[in-house]
Amino acid sequence: AQSVTQLGSHVSVSEGALVLLRCNYSSSVPPYLFWYVQYPNQGLQLLLKYTTGATLVKGINGFEAEFKKSETSFHLTKPSAHMSDAAEYFCAVSDSGLSGGSNYKLTFGKGTLLTVNP
Amino acid sequence: NAGVTQTPKFQVLKTGQSMTLQCAQDMNHNSMYWYRQDPGMGLRLIYYSASEGTTDKGEVPNGYNVSRLNKREFSLRLESAAPSQTSVYFCASSEQTGGAWEQYFGPGTRLTVT
């Protein structure tokens, strides 16, 4: 079984400040990890994903995340927040399938609402 | 490409009424999913279809049924709506990219049951 914990249901930053959204996962098998963004009244869009290889992954809109196996974390960062980054962000985990399991299902965290103040 | 489309966008039902939420994708994806989103709960999987002709229960299937009509379409049916089913419903489809299944989401259906 897999689970995701997003620390902080609401994060508020000033425009130009660092964005840090925290995600910890639990998985008994090697995981694949994802960050999705949801703008108001829209569906979810993929920001970035980690599968294998380089543990620092870059996504769209200047976001990046680092997979840290020892800490079971996949935190999302952006050096400088922009007003357009205001949205809800979801971390998700799937089975990698490398141990024989199926990997087409995602388990989502509860989400973190990012507010950007002018 | 339209991606994933959902109809209707909004719906208000009375308790006990039935309805079907429609979802279609034009990306030739094999897998499709139905989620519900409630405040503070994230997205919870209701049902999924790994491929045409198969459907399986997710985390919260009670009160729902699904039909994978063909490769493009995956519908969700509420037989007897209850206020607890007031939610935003998202359909998604997925393809395998670099080993991982990336999910693409529709715009959602906002359902209110009174």
Side-chain angles (χ1 to χ4, degrees):
Chain A
Q2 298 168 308
S3 65
V4 173
T5 301
Q6 291 185 238
L7 300 175
S9 58
H10 187 193
V11 170
S12 183
V13 300
S14 298
E15 193 172 18
L18 171 72
V19 175
L20 171 60
L21 304 182
R22 298 177 189 273
C23 171
N24 287 89
Y25 69 91
S26 172
S27 179
S28 57
V29 297
Y32 287 163
L33 295 157
F34 306 79
W35 275 100
Y36 280 84
V37 60
Q38 183 181 31
Y39 298 103
N41 299 314
Q42 294 188 24
L44 278 71
Q45 302 172 37
L46 182 66
L47 265 183
L48 49 81
K49 67 181 181 189
Y50 167 78
T51 54
T52 57
T55 57
L56 182 63
V57 293
K58 296 185 185 300
I60 61 173
N61 301 337
F63 284 93
E64 61 183 37
E66 187 171 11
F67 170 60
K68 292 187 177 181
K69 184 178 178 181
S70 61
E71 298 177 11
T72 60
S73 69
F74 191 57
H75 302 331
L76 181 71
T77 60
K78 182 174 180 177
S80 176
H82 192 273
M83 297 294 289
S84 60
D85 295 327
E88 191 158 21
Y89 293 79
F90 293 92
C91 182
V93 63
S94 77
D95 186 339
S96 65
L98 298 174
S99 300
S102 61
N103 66 341
Y104 43 80
K105 287 196 295 179
L106 290 177
T107 299
F108 285 88
K110 294 188 187 319
T112 297
L113 181 64
L114 176 65
T115 303
V116 182
N117 304 307
Chain B
N1 286 350
V4 179
T5 57
Q6 294 183 235
T7 56
K9 286 186 168 42
F10 301 93
Q11 184 72 48
V12 179
L13 290 178
K14 291 186 179 352
T15 297
Q17 288 185 317
S18 63
M19 77 161 296
T20 300
L21 281 65
Q22 306 286 355
C23 173
Q25 52 92 9
D26 63 0
M27 297 174 282
N28 202 36
H29 290 170
N30 284 319
S31 299
M32 297 185 73
Y33 312 79
W34 275 106
Y35 293 91
R36 60 177 290 172
Q37 183 179 28
D38 303 291
M41 301 291 288
L43 276 77
R44 292 181 291 171
L45 184 64
I46 304 171
Y47 271 93
Y48 65 100
S49 172
S51 61
E52 187 179 355
T54 69
T55 60
D56 285 289
K57 295 178 181 179
E59 183 184 352
V60 288
N62 290 347
Y64 305 95
N65 285 302
V66 291
S67 295
R68 183 74 183 265
L69 304 171
N70 47 56
K71 191 171 185 179
R72 290 187 64 249
E73 298 172 287
F74 189 39
S75 63
L76 178 72
R77 183 159 179 84
L78 287 70
E79 291 291 351
S80 178
S84 61
Q85 294 178 305
T86 293
S87 188
V88 182
Y89 291 86
F90 288 99
C91 177
S93 67
S94 69
E95 66 172 1
Q96 196 168 25
T97 305
W101 289 82
E102 292 187 18
Q103 294 195 12
Y104 296 79
F105 286 80
T109 295
R110 292 182 178 274
L111 175 67
T112 302
V113 183
T114 62

